[in-house]
Amino acid sequence: MDADPQANASSGLGINIRETGLSIYECLVNGDDAAKAVIPTEIDRMEIIPSHIDLVGAEIEMLNMAERERILKKILQPLKGQYDYILIDCSPSLGLITVNALTAADSVLIPVQCEYFALEGISKLLNTIKIIKSKLNPELEIEGFLLTMYDARLRLANQIYEEVKRPFQDLVFNTVIQRNVKLSEASSYGKPVLLYDAESKGALNHMQLAKEIITKNN
């Protein structure tokens, strides 16, 4: 589910967001059936509910709705039994749609760019998660911290890895997503990196991450 108004997850899977019928926007704001918004992708058994630029204004339209923080949870409930995993791609901002995603989720995967300022955002996100757990979703857990844009040649990248690893220990994934030009190229071609170049570092990193998550969840 692409819950980011930029719709990068949608376009990165080859979805033309201008030509889709229903999107996550209509489901959130109009109450349309999420099952009708699901569309297939090039990858077998992988489907997506796309985003749309209209999602930018959805938070304002949702302000006066009843139980506005739980709208996405209600949308997803009928779909949960149909999939092994439902991934919700969120925007970096901690607005109402991200709150909806955290309220609907079983766990949250936290990507951390290997840059100094990324560390400052972690404490804000953890505080938000703490509030969500206490008021909206007591079952919410941290799936793990994922280091991205990692370059082993840079001392800063290794320092940030250690800074995250020290307090969070086993919550930090062993897998890191390395800087890899193929990841950017795949997005520009509207293809998942597995279909664009399955032997690239970016593809191999993501496959390793998938294995780690599946193993962790038995």
Side-chain angles (χ1 to χ4, degrees):
M1 174 175 283
D2 190 354
D4 185 345
Q6 292 187 39
N8 291 337
S10 303
S11 58
L13 287 169
I15 307 298
N16 187 336
I17 59 172
R18 291 178 177 82
E19 295 182 0
T20 56
L22 293 178
S23 70
I24 183 61
Y25 170 79
E26 285 82 14
C27 298
L28 287 171
V29 174
N30 301 333
D32 285 6
D33 185 359
K36 294 179 180 177
V38 173
I39 54 179
T41 70
E42 285 188 82
I43 294 181
D44 187 36
R45 298 173 65 203
M46 179 179 174
E47 299 174 327
I48 185 171
I49 295 178
S51 183
H52 193 276
I53 190 63
D54 288 348
L55 199 60
V56 170
E59 295 194 354
I60 297 173
E61 297 180 70
M62 293 164 64
L63 280 177
N64 295 321
M65 293 184 179
E67 293 197 299
R68 62 190 181 192
E69 296 89 358
R70 293 185 169 87
I71 295 171
L72 188 57
K73 184 171 185 175
K74 291 176 182 176
I75 288 170
L76 284 175
Q77 198 62 43
L79 299 177
K80 286 186 76 171
Q82 299 178 34
Y83 299 95
D84 297 315
Y85 290 89
I86 297 176
L87 307 178
I88 307 172
D89 182 39
C90 301
S91 70
S93 63
L94 295 173
L96 182 56
I97 292 175
T98 301
V99 169
N100 263 266
L102 292 172
T103 303
D106 299 309
S107 65
V108 54
L109 190 156
I110 302 172
V112 182
Q113 289 186 14
C114 288
E115 297 174 359
Y116 177 75
F117 289 114
L119 294 175
E120 295 185 354
I122 290 180
S123 59
K124 294 177 183 176
L125 178 58
L126 291 178
N127 189 50
T128 301
I129 292 171
K130 185 178 179 181
I131 293 169
I132 298 290
K133 278 180 69 80
S134 64
K135 297 184 180 298
L136 294 167
N137 184 5
E139 306 299 320
L140 183 65
E141 300 292 341
I142 294 175
E143 187 73 26
F145 294 85
L146 175 67
L147 275 291
T148 68
M149 302 180 75
Y150 181 83
D151 188 338
R153 299 170 298 177
L154 300 180
R155 187 167 63 178
L156 177 62
N158 292 299
Q159 286 177 341
I160 289 174
Y161 184 87
E162 293 303 322
E163 287 284 332
V164 178
K165 186 76 174 175
R166 195 178 303 120
F168 300 114
Q169 300 292 321
D170 292 343
L171 284 175
V172 180
F173 287 106
N174 293 322
T175 303
V176 296
I177 307 299
Q178 300 174 68
R179 284 188 180 275
N180 180 232
V181 69
K182 296 295 184 182
L183 290 173
S184 301
E185 288 178 3
S187 298
S188 68
Y189 281 93
K191 280 186 172 293
V193 70
L194 286 175
L195 298 183
Y196 181 73
D197 187 346
E199 297 299 318
S200 66
K201 274 186 180 178
L204 296 174
N205 288 163
H206 280 86
M207 286 298 290
Q208 184 60 42
L209 173 65
K211 288 178 183 177
E212 197 171 342
I213 292 173
I214 290 168
T215 301
K216 181 179 178 182
N217 289 284
N218 296 317

